[in-house]
Amino acid sequence: MVGQLRIIGAWDLLSPVLFKLYQIMIKKISLTLSLLILIVSGVFAQQISKEEMLFLTQKWTGERFEDGRPKVSDDILRRMKEVTHDEAWAVMKNEGYRYQYADGWGLMINPDSVLVGRALTATFMPGRPDIHDAIDERGKKEGKRGQNSWPVDLLVPGDVYVVDQFGIHNGGPTIGDNVGNAIYAKSGNGIIYDGAIRDIVGLKEIGSFTSYVSSYHPSHHNQPGDLNTMLIGINKPTRIHQVTVMAGDVVLGRDGGVSFIPAHLAEKVVVTSEVVRLRDMFGHQRIREGKYTAGQIDTRWSDEIEKDFSQWLNDHIDELPIAREQIQEILKKRTW
């Protein structure tokens, strides 16, 4: 009985200590889990990991950049410049991608030109000192200066800088003619920018800086004096208007709007566009010749017209605005 009382007494003394240790252990586990969640969710890790890039773009089976970003070929980019939004939209809609077109831009630079390239994305959010400073401090340890320049430093020829700056206007411009020239020097392209830019006259002097932005404002981004934005993501999925954009998407900017074409659909969009163009050329010619009526061309073609189209392709293969090798590929897949 005395022994039992001694054990109970000892336990009464130890239990507060054990409970305190238990609380410390739980706090450490919670802290560790919180850090892991922050890292996974990308609050600390601005640039997407290669593993996450591969996971999110697994439908793409072609060439990639070293960081995992899909690398749609230069040939597809060149041919994409002839594609219309209508053609791109139809293909993407049929594949289940219904919200890949963004219009309503407040300002366009070189609106009569066509912008095509691979998306490199950046996501900004309203500034918050503790998160901004943590991100900034880690960047400084890696030799980086100025968060606005981090994504720009990653651009390569053929890229389009796609930025969600959450539409910020007064005090928001992070791109003027100096940064604009740096972007153009690295990518050879302009920008898609959901926010305000400054130095509009200087940006217009960059001949091929075809760009779509939300607005213009003469103010400039003053991060030390007014922490109104901070960079929280590079090459992660980002939002431009109602579109979710993924790094490596093909950007098609023309006629006042922008289509964001998933990398794995880019070739299909281009080939479909080329077939549509050829069929339109053939149909218009045959209508003018009086061989077929508009009604025959506007409806599903008969086998006779399909065979005539194939023969027309063969007969004019070196005269058409589509490369010979592309027409030969089209002919291989035809059954007429």
Side-chain angles (χ1 to χ4, degrees), residues 281-315:
M281 288 180 66
F282 166 79
H284 296 164
Q285 180 179 324
R286 289 296 191 252
I287 290 172
R288 288 194 300 270
E289 294 169 347
K291 186 168 183 177
Y292 308 120
T293 67
Q296 287 175 298
I297 293 299
D298 279 342
T299 57
R300 183 179 179 86
W301 288 359
S302 66
D303 290 354
E304 177 190 351
I305 298 178
E306 290 287 3
K307 289 174 184 176
D308 189 19
F309 177 54
S310 292
Q311 188 60 52
W312 180 83
L313 289 174
N314 269 309
D315 292 344

Side-chain angles (χ1 to χ4, degrees), residues 21 23 39 50 64 67 84 87 125 127 174 190 202 211 222 247 264 274 279 286 298 314 332:
L21 289 172
Q23 287 182 313
I39 291 170
K50 184 174 183 178
R64 292 178 180 268
D67 62 0
T84 68
E87 294 161 348
M125 289 184 68
T174 61
S211 300
N222 181 18
H264 66 280
E274 291 171 345
R279 289 173 77 89
R286 289 296 191 252
D298 279 342
N314 269 309
K332 283 179 187 177

Side-chain angles (χ1 to χ4, degrees), residues 245-263:
V245 184
M246 186 63 206
D249 283 357
V250 175
V251 177
L252 172 62
R254 63 177 303 159
D255 305 315
V258 184
S259 291
F260 298 94
I261 303 163

Side-chain angles (χ1 to χ4, degrees), residues 144-326:
K144 297 177 181 177
R145 293 293 182 272
Q147 292 183 13
N148 296 337
S149 69
W150 297 357
V152 175
D153 292 340
L154 299 175
L155 291 166
V156 297
D159 283 347
V160 174
Y161 188 33
V162 178
V163 187
D164 175 11
Q165 191 83 11
F166 58 92
I168 192 170
H169 186 62
N170 189 350
T174 61
I175 294 180
D177 52 6
N178 289 328
V179 177
N181 272 282
I183 290 170
Y184 184 72
K186 285 179 169 291
S187 68
N189 272 325
I191 58 175
I192 306 296
Y193 196 79
D194 188 8
I197 57 170
R198 67 188 310 269
D199 298 325
I200 185 68
V201 173
L203 290 173
K204 286 182 176 179
E205 290 174 353
I206 308 173
S208 300
F209 194 71
T210 301
S211 300
Y212 293 76
V213 301
S214 294
S215 62
Y216 159 78
H217 199 277
S219 62
H220 62 85
H221 181 61
N222 181 18
Q223 205 167 42
D226 181 13
L227 183 61
N228 57 0
T229 71
M230 60 183 179
L231 176 68
I232 59 102
I234 299 175
N235 278 341
K236 297 178 179 180
T238 196
R239 182 179 65 85
I240 299 295
H241 296 188
Q242 67 169 357
V243 181
T244 295
V245 184
M246 186 63 206
D249 283 357
V250 175
V251 177
L252 172 62
R254 63 177 303 159
D255 305 315
V258 184
S259 291
F260 298 94
I261 303 163
H264 66 280
L265 293 180
E267 184 173 6
K268 187 169 186 176
V269 166
V270 165
V271 171
T272 301
S273 171
E274 291 171 345
V275 171
V276 169
R277 246 173 293 150
L278 291 170
R279 289 173 77 89
D280 283 346
M281 288 180 66
F282 166 79
H284 296 164
Q285 180 179 324
R286 289 296 191 252
I287 290 172
R288 288 194 300 270
E289 294 169 347
K291 186 168 183 177
Y292 308 120
T293 67
Q296 287 175 298
I297 293 299
D298 279 342
T299 57
R300 183 179 179 86
W301 288 359
S302 66
D303 290 354
E304 177 190 351
I305 298 178
E306 290 287 3
K307 289 174 184 176
D308 189 19
F309 177 54
S310 292
Q311 188 60 52
W312 180 83
L313 289 174
N314 269 309
D315 292 344
H316 298 84
I317 194 166
D318 291 319
E319 305 165 14
L320 297 169
I322 309 298
R324 180 187 182 92
E325 56 269 23
Q326 264 87 63

